[in-house]
Structures are given as structure tokens and as C-alpha cells.
Amino acid sequence: MKDIKKVKNKIILILSLMIILLIYCFIMYTGVGNNNNNPNFEIIDANNLISQRLSEVIPFVSLIDSNLNTAYQAKKVTNKNISNPIFLMKAYQNSTTKSNQSFMEVLKRLYGNNIFIVQESFNLSGSINCQYDEKLLNYKCKETDYDGIIYDISRQFTNLGINNDNYLLKENIIFYSREVGEEEIIYKVYNDYNFKEEVGEFKDTDLNQDIDTYLFNNYAKYSKKYVSNFKYSNNTYRWLSTEVDQ
């Protein structure tokens, strides 16, 4: 019995030491309680969950109107350069209650306090139609059918930098459109964010892999480099700006 008790005590001691070691490693790695020890590193080929989440915060959505201003332009873009409906659609994507209050809470969390939003009806992607009720101060949204042209992007994460609570995401972006016809889908590739200069065209029957892989395998030379800045605060990644990566 004494031997069994000794063995149990040794096991408890070993487990306790392991737990203490794990806690110590976690504190040293994350810098909890000491801002000077926060991680400062970068990830090459940054195809990971953090990069994916950061990309979802960047003000871009699929569009049926290519004239709307998104984060991807030829200059440095902040909140003041984004078209109002883009923010409304981001609020829709990140909220469960489609009300004015919930939309504003989401936008404040993702984009900060200095954002001015006009509450209005919107239908950016053709498939989500949201009508604003001025009396009830909420949105009535429904899915709709759309067979026209949709302007979109294909993205490739190339680098993720983390410095304390500051995040820097670098991407390669290919601008393209897809048009659903009666019997086929036609894809067109464009030179830049204006969706004006066409540089390639193919059909869905040409695809032998997913659209993103196909685009970067065949049209990578037309991709544009962008870098976006974020701030991590209150368990949220807040977008600050996006610009061409020189």
C-alpha cells in the first residue's frame, strides 16, 4: 500500500510540474500581463485561420455594381473612402439581428468609432436583398435569384506580420467577374480594381479545379499586391487601412 501511495504521489508531482511548465510557456509566448513580451513575428505563405478572418473584415464583398468603392483601390484606403453599402453588407454578414442597432455595433467593433453610416436599402451581390424600414429601424432581408454579372476577387495570402496587437496582412488579388447564362457560366479576368480592362476569358467547362486555384495557375501575372493593417482589441480584429503593396 505504501508503494502504491508513493507512486501516486510521484504521478501527482510530475503532473503538477508539467502543468506549471505549460502555464509558464504560455505566459512567456503570449506575453500575458506584460505587453513587452507580446509575439513579434511574420508568417510566409500565410494561409491560416487568422489570415482568413482578417480578410473577412476587409471592406470588400461580391458586387453587381463595379463602381462601388471597396478597400482595393490605387491609393491608401480608410473608412472615409468606402462606399456606404459595402459597410452595410459587412454588418449584415457579421450580425444575427438585422437591426440598425446591431449593424452599428458590428461596424463600430470592426471599423472603429469614426465611421459615418447612412441606413438605406441595399442589394450588392444580387442574392441578398435588404430593405430598410425607417419606422421599425431594422432590415428585412431575403435571398433572391440573380442571373447577371457579379464582380469578385480571388485572393492569395502571402505574408502575415504580427507585432504586439498590430497585424499586417499581405495578399495577391486577381479581379474577375462571372456571368450566369442559360447553359454556361462565363468568367472574365480584369487588369485591376476598376473591372474595365479585360485580360482573359474562360467558361465553367474549362475549369478542372476550384476557381481560385485556376485563376492563380493561369492569370497570376495579372494579380495585384495589397497590404492591409489591423488592430487587435477586445477580442476583435479591427481593420484600419488597405493600400497597394509596392
Side-chain angles (χ1 to χ4, degrees):
M1 290 296 293
K2 289 184 178 180
D3 292 338
I4 294 176
K5 188 174 182 179
K6 288 182 179 179
V7 172
K8 287 183 177 180
N9 289 337
K10 286 183 178 180
I11 293 174
I12 292 173
L13 178 61
I14 293 172
L15 290 175
S16 299
L17 291 174
M18 290 179 63
I19 292 173
I20 292 173
L21 181 61
L22 287 172
I23 293 174
Y24 174 79
C25 291
F26 175 79
I27 292 174
M28 292 301 295
Y29 179 76
T30 62
V32 173
N34 186 352
N35 290 332
N36 294 325
N37 289 329
N38 281 342
N40 183 353
F41 58 91
E42 63 178 357
I43 303 172
I44 308 300
D45 188 21
N47 188 17
N48 52 63
L49 292 177
I50 295 179
S51 297
Q52 183 63 46
R53 178 52 187 158
L54 292 176
S55 70
E56 292 171 353
V57 175
I58 297 174
F60 180 89
V61 297
S62 301
L63 300 168
I64 58 178
D65 181 3
S66 62
N67 294 315
L68 292 175
N69 294 323
T70 72
Y72 301 106
Q73 301 180 35
K75 60 182 180 181
K76 183 175 182 178
V77 176
T78 60
N79 289 345
K80 63 181 181 179
N81 308 118
I82 304 296
S83 295
N84 189 73
I86 302 294
F87 282 127
L88 292 176
M89 189 62 183
K90 300 307 290 187
Y92 169 86
Q93 293 174 340
N94 288 276
S95 64
T96 54
T97 304
K98 312 308 178 185
S99 66
N100 174 43
Q101 180 179 352
S102 63
F103 273 28
M104 294 309 297
E105 289 175 354
V106 167
L107 294 174
K108 179 180 178 181
R109 176 166 52 86
L110 297 180
Y111 305 108
N113 297 317
N114 61 341
I115 182 172
F116 179 75
I117 297 295
V118 177
Q119 302 300 332
E120 60 181 346
S121 300
F122 60 93
N123 183 6
L124 276 71
S125 63
S127 59
I128 301 296
N129 189 349
C130 292
Q131 298 296 317
Y132 183 60
D133 190 320
E134 295 183 355
K135 294 182 178 179
L136 298 177
L137 301 180
N138 65 9
Y139 286 88
K140 296 179 180 179
C141 301
K142 62 180 181 179
E143 295 187 8
T144 58
D145 294 327
Y146 178 74
D147 295 331
I149 300 175
I150 298 176
Y151 299 92
D152 211 336
I153 61 171
S154 180
R155 60 201 337 154
Q156 181 184 73
F157 308 127
T158 61
N159 185 284
L160 173 63
I162 303 175
N163 185 359
N164 293 323
D165 292 327
N166 299 305
Y167 288 69
L168 195 72
L169 179 66
K170 294 186 177 183
E171 305 174 279
N172 290 332
I173 300 293
I174 295 179
F175 299 89
Y176 74 99
S177 67
R178 60 185 183 275
E179 182 177 6
V180 179
E182 293 184 0
E183 298 180 353
E184 59 187 6
I185 300 176
I186 300 175
Y187 294 89
K188 294 182 179 180
V189 183
Y190 299 89
N191 186 53
D192 60 21
Y193 68 98
N194 285 313
F195 296 98
K196 301 296 183 184
E197 183 182 346
E198 182 183 332
V199 295
E201 180 178 322
F202 56 93
K203 300 177 181 178
D204 59 331
T205 52
D206 298 321
L207 292 174
N208 54 7
Q209 52 202 165
D210 67 89
I211 181 63
D212 292 326
T213 302
Y214 183 88
L215 284 170
F216 276 100
N217 281 344
N218 294 276
Y219 296 95
K221 65 180 179 180
Y222 298 110
S223 65
K224 305 299 180 184
K225 298 181 183 297
Y226 283 91
V227 56
S228 298
N229 288 277
F230 304 83
K231 184 78 171 180
Y232 186 73
S233 178
N234 296 324
N235 297 320
T236 298
Y237 298 106
R238 177 174 293 177
W239 176 79
L240 301 177
S241 66
T242 296
E243 59 188 304
V244 175
D245 187 16
Q246 303 295 342

